[in-house]
């Protein structure tokens, strides 16, 4: 496992409450602004007490400083040490024969996109999200909030090289499917494989050449009106995730 020092705070009422209720071991200290009122105040205090979370009441300005100006809705939780998984470590946790979806991000740089993809991946039943250690967004507090806390629960795997990771996943019986607007094959007309690695390209540039060459199949999400342009990376990922998930209800 690798430590990620940026992954230090969770902010916002729903993400923090979800964190305390679902993964209280990730919560170190809870900060609550002194202007937060019932019924939410009563709810979060009860959740903190029930789960043994240390909490402090502080001035709103103190929370503003910690969040760096980002909206916090009067609650911030300091996280315990966060670790991302190495690929080999993660693969040991998977059944080699059962249906499984992995989402691979080919250098997604916007943390909002990363958070949105992680949220969709959890909702769609994916086993994990894989992304590069360099030239990619890291799972910071923006990712936590955008993912509605999913980034605290779903396995996140950082790799040094996306192409090599894809090659390793093939050895582990995964079929690699890349989302590409350049493909002639509609995702609606091809049933995605049970053991599927769904690869999503970077904002703007899409999939890199080496990644395309290592995909078993490329599919596109049909756009009805060309004037709409290409889809946001996180939207495309969500459509791909739930296209896979519909076959395993």
């Amino acid at each position: 496992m690798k430590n990620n020092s940026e992954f230090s705070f969770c902010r916002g009422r729903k993400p923090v409450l979800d964190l305390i209720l679902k993964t209280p071991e990730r919560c170190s200290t809870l900060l609550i602004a002194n202007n937060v009122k019932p019924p939410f105040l009563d709810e979060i205090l009860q959740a903190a007490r029930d789960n043994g979370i240390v909490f402090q009441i502080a001035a709103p300005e103190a929370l503003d400083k910690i969040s760096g100006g980002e909206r916090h809705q009067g609650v911030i939780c300091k996280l315990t040490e966060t670790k991302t998984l190495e690929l080999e470590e993660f693969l040991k946790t998977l059944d080699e024969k059962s249906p499984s979806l992995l989402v691979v991000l080919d250098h997604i740089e916007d943390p909002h996109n990363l958070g949105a993809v992680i949220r969709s991946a959890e909702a769609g039943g994916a086993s994990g999200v894989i992304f590069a250690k360099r030239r990619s967004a890291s799972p910071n507090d923006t990712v936590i909030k955008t993912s509605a806390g999913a980034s605290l629960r779903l396995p996140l795997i950082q790799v040094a090289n996306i192409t090599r990771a894809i090659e390793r996943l093939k050895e582990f019986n995964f079929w690699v499917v890349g989302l590409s607007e350049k493909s002639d094959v509609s995702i609606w007309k091809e049933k995605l494989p049970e053991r599927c690695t769904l690869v999503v390209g970077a904002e703007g540039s899409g999939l890199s050449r080496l990644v395309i060459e290592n995909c078993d199949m490329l599919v596109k999400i049909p756009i009805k009106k060309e004037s709409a342009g290409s889809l946001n990376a996180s939207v495309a990922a969500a459509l791909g995730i739930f296209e896979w998930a519909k076959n395993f209800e």
Side-chain angles (χ1 to χ4, degrees), residues 100-106 117-118 120-122 126-131 154-155 157 169 174 179 196-200 237-238 240-241:
S100 181
L101 173 68
L102 298 177
V103 180
V104 174
L105 304 180
D106 186 11
V117 171
I118 294 171
S120 295
E122 183 186 49
S127 299
V129 175
I130 298 171
F131 53 97
L154 191 69
I157 303 94
L169 292 172
F174 279 92
L179 290 179
C196 178
T197 293
L198 183 69
V199 190
V200 183
I241 289 165

Side-chain angles (χ1 to χ4, degrees), residues 42-115:
D42 297 332
E43 183 179 14
I44 197 163
L45 286 176
Q46 188 62 53
R49 293 186 181 107
D50 289 346
N51 289 280
I53 305 299
V54 175
F55 63 87
Q56 299 175 4
I57 306 299
E61 293 78 13
L63 277 71
D64 291 340
K65 184 176 181 180
I66 291 172
S67 68
E70 296 288 341
R71 189 180 181 199
H72 52 71
Q73 298 179 298
V75 286
I76 293 178
C77 185
K78 183 178 180 181
L79 300 174
T80 57
E81 183 180 68
T82 299
K83 299 174 181 179
T84 54
L85 295 169
E86 296 292 336
L87 181 59
E88 293 302 321
E89 180 183 13
F90 170 69
L91 289 176
K92 292 177 183 178
T93 68
L94 296 181
D95 186 319
E96 292 190 41
K97 297 182 180 179
S98 298
S100 181
L101 173 68
L102 298 177
V103 180
V104 174
L105 304 180
D106 186 11
H107 297 96
I108 296 290
E109 297 182 346
D110 185 343
H112 293 90
N113 274 337
L114 176 58

